[in-house]
Amino acid sequence: MQLQQLAYFVAVAEARHFTQAAERMRVAQPSLSKQIKALEAELGAPLLSRARGNVTLTPAGEALLPLARRMLADADTARREIGELAGLRRGRVRLGATPSLCAGLMADALARFHRAYPGIELLVEEDGSRDLVRALARGQLDLALIIMPLQSDDPSLVTEEILRENLVVVSPSITRSRRPYLRIEDLRGRPMVMFRRGYDLREATLSACRQAGFEPRFTVEGGEMDAVLRFVEAGLGVALVPSMVLDGRPGLTGTPLAPPGLRRTIAIAHRKDVEPTRAAQAFRATLLFFLAEAAHDGSLPPGVELVAEN
């Protein structure tokens, strides 16, 4: 079994078309077809069904696809790791982060890393924690900043808690509440802007409201972080958001929830069975030093604190 054969198979499985897959891989179609047939012969089972021009995966192909993707991702990581031995003059870090972190602390941390290692390519994937955990497991990310606790106990990941932050009720600044705190019960019947399904903050909001004995009333739902904040600014309702995303947004104000309030924990995660590349390790060290420095000089966003000195 050759990596090139697996790459051809994945290309056809994703395109569901031999010609398009050959164009994507920049190879003649007969050569691509020949390599896939050789792979099928070696495995002893057909991987693709070619009926009337339609290409579909057989049960064997369905089983092989996630394994092939992971093997190709690991091989790519190995090549880059070898290339980094020259002293981090080149390489790549594939980082996943939730939208609230991308809108908050990440820009400054990435800028500091880029200044220290200008030859390292930074690829950032912005998504919810559940999707980031799946991307880590598939080998598509080196590191991810995710929300704890995990929705499922995944023994394949190593997680390190780094930050805790408060959730606040965000509203337009012109309607600033005179009260220093709000209770979850105060949101009963109040128009709310809600995140899309599968979003961590959606689940946190629904859980808090239901524990208080009511279902929240949505005026609009389905947005990502930036969209939700813009909807709140427009007066469509309030939302429950991390305190850090309000930094630099004078049109919005966040009202804390009555103690003990609601908090969430942010962790940095990587796969247990694959040691992070040197570039990824350098980014982790840079991020932790940046956060420790910010905590020491008091420049962390309001409501955000370091879990422990790293």
Side-chain angles (χ1 to χ4, degrees):
M1 186 185 304
Q2 301 175 10
L3 288 174
Q4 192 65 58
Q5 292 173 335
L6 293 175
Y8 289 164
F9 163 70
V10 170
V12 175
E14 292 178 347
R16 300 300 171 106
H17 197 282
F18 274 82
T19 300
Q20 293 177 8
E23 292 174 353
R24 169 180 160 186
M25 300 302 297
R26 298 181 180 179
V27 65
Q29 182 178 329
S31 297
L32 181 142
S33 298
K34 182 178 179 181
Q35 288 297 320
I36 290 180
K37 287 181 180 178
L39 178 61
E40 290 176 322
E42 182 172 350
L43 294 175
L47 302 172
L48 300 165
S49 175
R50 310 161 179 82
R52 298 180 180 177
N54 294 322
V55 178
T56 58
L57 291 173
T58 65
E62 293 281 2
L64 177 62
L65 183 58
L67 298 174
R69 284 174 171 156
R70 183 163 170 173
M71 291 169 69
L72 291 170
D74 288 348
D76 187 48
T77 297
R79 283 192 293 267
R80 291 181 178 274
E81 175 71 2
I82 297 301
E84 291 170 13
L85 295 177
L88 289 179
R89 291 194 296 268
R90 63 183 185 274
R92 179 188 68 181
V93 178
R94 301 169 302 169
L95 175 68
T98 61
S100 59
L101 290 170
C102 288
L105 292 168
M106 286 306 302
D108 290 338
L110 289 168
R112 176 173 293 195
F113 180 79
H114 179 67
R115 288 193 296 269
Y117 305 100
I120 303 296
E121 180 185 7
L122 290 166
L123 300 177
V124 179
E125 179 172 334
E126 184 179 4
D127 217 329
S129 285
R130 296 180 185 182
D131 292 330
L132 294 177
V133 166
R134 284 192 288 267
L136 275 175
R138 291 195 295 261
Q140 296 172 337
L141 295 174
D142 301 308
L143 301 170
L145 294 169
I146 60 175
I147 307 304
M148 299 293 287
L150 296 176
Q151 295 299 317
S152 61
D153 185 17
D154 192 336
S156 68
L157 296 182
V158 175
T159 60
E160 176 184 3
E161 296 182 355
I162 57 175
L163 291 174
R164 290 194 181 96
E165 62 176 337
N166 294 327
L167 299 182
V168 298
V169 179
V170 63
S171 58
S173 295
I174 59 174
T175 62
R176 181 188 300 270
S177 172
R178 296 180 181 179
R179 300 164 59 182
Y181 297 102
L182 288 173
R183 300 174 305 156
I184 286 293
E185 290 83 353
D186 295 326
L187 302 181
R188 185 191 300 267
R190 191 166 179 179
M192 295 189 69
V193 178
M194 183 50 62
F195 296 93
R196 63 170 172 81
R197 295 184 184 278
Y199 212 83
D200 301 298
L201 287 167
R202 180 190 181 96
E203 303 308 318
T205 302
L206 289 173
S207 176
C209 292
R210 288 168 179 167
Q211 286 183 17
F214 69 95
E215 287 290 325
R217 180 165 72 88
F218 304 150
T219 52
V220 60
E221 60 178 311
E224 300 280 351
M225 178 61 68
D226 189 59
V228 165
L229 294 177
R230 289 179 181 273
F231 293 156
V232 173
E233 280 183 312
L236 289 168
V238 300
L240 200 61
V241 303
S243 56
M244 73 168 65
V245 303
L246 302 182
D247 195 29
R249 291 181 179 266
L252 295 170
T253 186
T255 304
L257 292 164
L262 289 178
R263 311 187 80 191
R264 69 177 192 172
T265 300
I266 298 163
I268 187 166
H270 65 84
R271 275 173 55 187
K272 183 180 294 185
D273 61 337
V274 177
E275 187 72 16
T277 66
R278 290 184 64 211
Q281 292 177 40
F283 177 80
R284 174 190 173 278
T286 300
L287 173 65
L288 295 182
F289 183 79
F290 167 78
L291 294 175
E293 189 176 64
H296 183 265
D297 63 22
S299 60
L300 284 175
V304 179
E305 66 179 24
L306 209 61
V307 168
E309 292 295 330
N310 291 283

